């Protein structure tokens, strides 16, 4: 069974491979990270871990039994007991319910480990997979229309105590 792990320094090589192998898949739904992301990957990884140590965010990776990273699930902009959720899965492991199950697990962790009461998310209107995951895990649209790199989207919210 894949395991959700809090991001660590030694995840860097597997995370680089995950981002590189799935770059085109991600770019079809969400903005591409750009070449600089890959060129400066190690420095960025260190910076993310520094932010995490300061309590500003909680990064997680879904790791297969052989150490391969299958997904990443992040809580960022932690403030006032709330945070923003973002996630992405390796293309080859999509449509198996893994993102849905992992978001549910992360909602529990958010409440029990991180003391968060409210999670926010956003998805482009045409990102059916993301919107499906959000609604199946108890997120509800806020009614707020957001722009995601120029694409219309919806804001979502979930109380961590909510049942999906
Ligand atoms: C969004 C994402 C994480 C979903 O991962 P996943 O593991 O496939 O999610 P799940 O299997 O738990 O559920 C997704 C649901 O959407 C459906 N789905 C997936 N891709 C779809 C598509 N292109 N069109 C319609 N439905 C789709 C799945 O079939 C599944 O529903 P089902 O159980 O009825 O079959 C993954 O597609 C991804 O990483 N996309 C690129 C990055 C991204 O968009 N991240 C979200 C940013 S807001």
């Amino acid at each position: 069974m894949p395991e959700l792990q809090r991001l660590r320094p030694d995840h860097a090589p597997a995370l680089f491979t995950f981002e590189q192998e799935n770059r085109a898949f991600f770019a079809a739904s969400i903005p591409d990270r750009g070449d600089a992301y890959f060129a400066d990957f190690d420095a960025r990884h260190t910076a993310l871990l520094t932010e995490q140590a300061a309590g500003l965010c909680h990064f997680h990776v879904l790791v297969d039994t052989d150490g391969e990273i299958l997904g990443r699930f992040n809580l960022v902009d932690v403030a006032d007991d709330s945070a923003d959720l973002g996630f992405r899965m390796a293309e080859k492991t999509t449509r198996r319910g893994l993102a849905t199950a992992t978001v549910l697990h992360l909602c529990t962790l958010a409440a029990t480990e991180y003391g968060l009461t409210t999670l926010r998310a956003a998805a482009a209107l045409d990102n059916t997979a993301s919107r499906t995951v959000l609604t199946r895990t108890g997120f509800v649209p806020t009614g707020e229309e957001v722009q995601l790199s120029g694409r219309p989207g919806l804001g979502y919210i979930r109380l961590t105590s909510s049942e999906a």
Side-chain angles (χ1 to χ4, degrees), residues 18 22 25-30 70 72-73 85-91 93-103 121-124 126-134 136-137 148 151:
F18 165 82
N22 294 286
F25 171 62
F26 297 148
S29 309
I30 53 179
L70 304 180
R72 62 192 307 185
F73 295 81
L85 168 71
F87 49 84
R88 52 182 64 196
M89 285 293 303
E91 181 174 17
T93 51
T94 53
R95 309 189 91 141
R96 297 183 193 173
L98 272 177
T100 300
T102 307
V103 168
D126 60 5
N127 193 339
T128 308
S130 179
R131 293 179 60 193
T132 302
V133 170
L134 290 170
R136 282 187 181 163
T137 55
L148 299 167
R151 290 157 66 197

